[in-house]
Amino acid sequence: YEPRKMTTIGECMIENTNNNTHPFLKGCGNAMVWSDTGVLRSNLCYYPFLHRQGLERFYESYPHGTILHVVRNTSSWVSSAFRWNNLPKRWVKAGCDNGFPTNLNATAEEWGLFY
């Protein structure tokens, strides 16, 4: 086993998806639990359970795996996202799609509907 030279688990998932590698998390480390596997770079936006059939790929590879999705109060989440170096604008600039608002001037209400 030779670990990949990736900086994030999300980048490993992108490569595995692009190469149709099974299991989905092969070579992404040997942890039993992952958290926040999304990738956001200036030209890359990938959230495994929103993009590239990530949820389906996870289930195919780990049919008995558990996904724990924590839900926050919507207005609290929106406020936090804007305070975190204006995350919504960074998502738009990176070209996030698949339900993300695409307008740089999207309102807090629009982001709340997305959440």
Side-chain angles (χ1 to χ4, degrees), residues 62-94:
Y62 310 98
H64 301 289
T66 300
I67 297 172
L68 176 64
H69 180 73
V70 178
V71 179
R72 294 175 60 180
N73 170 279
T74 301
S75 60
S76 173
W77 178 85
V78 169
S79 177
S80 176
F82 276 96
R83 283 193 319 267
W84 197 57
N85 196 15
N86 206 340
L87 183 58
K89 284 198 179 191
R90 291 187 292 140
W91 276 328
V92 172
K93 287 180 178 180

Side-chain angles (χ1 to χ4, degrees), residues 34-51:
W34 283 273
S35 171
D36 195 7
T37 56
V39 178
L40 179 62
R41 304 269 187 269
S42 60
N43 61 347
L44 175 64
C45 176
Y46 176 72
Y47 290 84
F49 301 119
L50 295 175
H51 296 106

Side-chain angles (χ1 to χ4, degrees), residues 7 24 58 62 83:
T7 56
F24 184 48
F58 181 89
Y62 310 98
R83 283 193 319 267

